[in-house]
Amino acid sequence: MVEVRVENVRKTYGRVEVLRGVSLNFRSGALTAILGPSGCGKTTLLRSIAGFIAVDSGRILFDAEEVSGLPPQRRGTAMVFQNYALWPHMTVFENVAYGLRLQKVPADEIRRRVLKVLELVEIGSLADVESRKPSALSGGQQQRVALARALVVEPKVLLMDEPLSNLDAKVRQRLRVELRRLQKQVGITAIYVTHDQEEALALADTVVLMDQGMIVQAGTPQDIYLKPATAFAAEFLGVSNQLEGDVSDGKLVVAGQSIPYTGAARGRVTVIFRASDIQMEEPSAPPRGGTVVLTGVLEESLFLGAHYRHYVRLGDGMVMADSPDLRRPGPVRLVLPADKVQVYGEHKT
Amino acid sequence: MSMNRRGLRMAGTVLAAVIIFGPLSSLVIWSFAEKWYWPHLFPQQVGLFYWSKVLQGDMLRALQSGFLIAVVVTVLTLVITVPLAYLLARTPIPFKPVILMIFLLPQAFPQLPVFVNSTTLLYRINQGGKFWGVVLIHMVGALVFAVWTMTAVFKSVPESLEEAAINLGASRLKSFFSVALPLATPGIIASTLLVFLYSLDEFTGTLLVGSPFILTLPVFMYRTSVGYELQVASISALLLMVPGIVLLILLERYMKSEYLSMFGRI
């Protein structure tokens, strides 16, 4: 098990700074998800660790060994690609055996290890892996083979670049669970790049949120989800309502309504809260303590299966609130626990 | 409705057949005509006289040297183009558009002046009327085909497939031979066949550079038809078509069976 350390890594393409001084520790034996919107630098970071991209400055270390100068062949990482990158002219067996053949492992040992790892990733019937080409398999199975191909060489670090993005929703959900099980079973240090926040939260021990070539926040999935560090983090993680507000004299004014505020931010702020944290009441109900109360007009409700999503007009803005019951349009009171309302100062994103 | 459509289809097929085979049929008739004077619609006397004459004489020599030249041109083109196209497709080498443009340049000008100039140049380096001179002039055209098509072929092999190999420890060379080359093979074969046919059929350059010592089939055909031996010209034209047809059938067969589908799946 190897700990991966990235120290102040920078990379520039032309005039675009893709990585702007990234420093990170990837805990050994843990699965770390790098999460962010497209173009945030997450794939560049992953490919720098694999050695496909030479960084401009900074260091990358596997335990104590600095690998920044090593070619990809000598880093001992194994990568799983978004498009599987299986070789269509080789059989499933040959695909998986490739790495071992490069290492000149004896044929009978190759056979044993390939079949073992194919069993591990649950490829199904092992009988015809020596005659079937990858194209005869479904997308989900192809990605299992790709995973087997990466694991069979017992790499120091497993790198995954949006491995589930090309699969349909159901297969994706199932493979997500299995990936996590496998990673724990093998106990390998894994780095997983994704733009899907749900996937990152579900899979990872640690989630690293990136934006514009920098790390916004790193922490456990729970930390990231419940205590987003910036307005960007809050917005990127889940359905949220975002309103412009103003803080002065210990009061926060949102959509013309004043609510108590004791935080540090002053002046223009961004107020963020989740649709699922809102409770709706009749405007005539008696007020409760420890809560933030806003009044608006319910305009529309959509049935989403698990719950209704209500659209409530609040001044110029629109707020989404989820609840299990259908409500009649009209004036409504939105009640939020005070600690679920996040207020961020001017420097948004 | 369906009757109508079928009728239309049949008429179309017949029309296409006439357009394709009509002119060819006169070649066939001419090749067997021993005596054919105006105003007769068909030859007064048919026979195998010219066929046997041709098959004993210069034509076989022309066929032979034409084939030899085509083989040499194809092999040399492959040796140069495969690595070059791979580099062009994979690495950010500087002046890539310029390099590709240089190969296209001879085609951008009218062929005749290009060939005439090349001929004087080749005579100056003592390659006029020689085997290698003809090979060189063929390669001017062959390289254009090959570099452009093979660059596209290598580009169509996703880079991630090679990255996967390199990531597992393969050297650049190993990944080329075990991944890029096998996957590019159908495309390479296709462009090889085209180069071979191009060289076999090339006329202008061969005539200018090779005459009078190097004789290929097109040049031979030209000479005989200028000499009003229409029978001999017809026979050589027919023979010249054979390799083209055979190779194109092969090409289609080969591409169809397995690889075309793979090309589309990238």
Side-chain angles (χ1 to χ4, degrees), chain A residues 11 13 43-55 60 67-68 70-73 75 77-81 159 161, chain B residues 159-170 172:
Chain A
K11 178 70 192 177
Y13 286 119
T43 297
T44 306
L45 180 59
L46 191 80
R47 292 173 62 82
S48 306
I49 295 169
F52 291 129
I53 293 174
V55 295
I60 297 170
V67 297
S68 321
L70 291 181
Q73 292 94 336
R75 296 214 180 176
T77 66
M79 188 133 163
V80 177
F81 296 80
L159 305 174
D161 187 8
Chain B
E159 207 164 354
S160 62
L161 293 186
E162 282 195 82
E163 284 176 350
I166 287 169
N167 182 235
L168 289 171
R172 199 79 234 198

Side-chain angles (χ1 to χ4, degrees), chain A residues 47 50 52 72-73 77-79 81 83 85-90 98-99 102 133 135 149-150 153, chain B residues 158 160-172 174-175 178-180 182-183 258 262 265:
Chain A
R47 292 173 62 82
F52 291 129
Q73 292 94 336
T77 66
M79 188 133 163
F81 296 80
N83 65 354
L86 293 173
W87 301 300
H89 58 301
M90 299 183 199
Y98 189 88
L102 284 177
K133 298 271 173 74
S135 55
R149 179 178 69 181
V153 294
Chain B
S160 62
L161 293 186
E162 282 195 82
E163 284 176 350
I166 287 169
N167 182 235
L168 289 171
S171 63
R172 199 79 234 198
K174 173 80 185 171
S175 110
S178 65
V179 177
L183 289 173
E258 189 175 342
M262 206 159 67
R265 222 180 301 136

Side-chain angles (χ1 to χ4, degrees), chain A residues 117-145:
Chain A
V117 78
L118 281 172
E119 207 169 325
L120 186 73
V121 299
E122 296 180 352
I123 194 62
S125 123
L126 289 175
D128 47 5
V129 291
E130 277 168 284
S131 58
R132 282 176 108 177
K133 298 271 173 74
S135 55
L137 304 176
S138 70
Q141 280 180 311
Q142 288 190 38
Q143 199 55 297
R144 285 167 197 267
V145 174

